[in-house]
Amino acid sequence: MSVEPVVLIINGPNLNLLGVREPDIYGRETLGDIEAWCGERAEALGLAIDFRQSNLEGEIVTWVQEARDVHDGIIINAGAYSHTSIAVFDALLACDLPVVEVHLSNLFRRESFRHHSYVSAAAVGMICGFGAHGYLLALDAMARLVRTEPP
Ligand code: CA2
């Protein structure tokens, strides 16, 4: 019997509001819809997911620290903390797991303060601008990374 690799999917602040406001920027899907899509794609890829959301920087840091022992990779949309958090960056650097960054919106078509992400410097790669579909692209990338195939 084989044990599936488990991918931690972290969603940062305000992403619990998805589908409720700003559909032009972030799409009409709720975070629950995205979790369901990820679950289906993960199953097809032979992965399991642990899907979470937090509005608290310290909680995200703790989740990343704990992932080292129990998860096989991290997909993260750190929301606004992507642009501000050296603490999340340090935790990701230390976790010793493959990290894929995802954003719903195209950061580079938005305000200049969104053009820099600390998370990017700790990630294998970053996907942005494809809305909720970006999470599925991130899972496709992660499936190869956890099997140590080239990206
Ligand atoms: O595009 C993304 O995925 C972001 O990570 C979303 C963050 C933003 O701060 C990043 O620059 C880019 C914001 C998430 C807020 O989500 C909302 C959803 C609906 C209504 C209000 C906020």
Side-chain angles (χ1 to χ4, degrees), residues 14 17-18 21-22 26 77 79-80 83 103-105 107 114:
N14 295 310
L17 299 176
L18 282 180
R21 294 192 208 110
E22 304 206 59
Y26 298 120
N77 181 352
H83 317 302
H103 295 279
L104 296 154
S105 60
L107 303 180
R114 297 186 203 273

Side-chain angles (χ1 to χ4, degrees), residues 4 7 18 22 50-51 54 58 63-64 75 77 91-92 101 103 115 136 141:
E4 302 152 324
V7 180
L18 282 180
E22 304 206 59
D50 180 355
F51 194 96
S54 177
W63 288 347
V64 172
I75 293 172
N77 181 352
L92 289 168
E101 179 180 17
H103 295 279
H115 296 180
L136 306 185

Side-chain angles (χ1 to χ4, degrees), residues 18 24 29-30 42 80 88 93 95 100 108 117 123 138 140:
L18 282 180
D24 294 347
E29 294 80 16
T30 66
V88 172
L93 279 185
C95 76
V100 176
F108 304 100
S117 165
D140 290 346

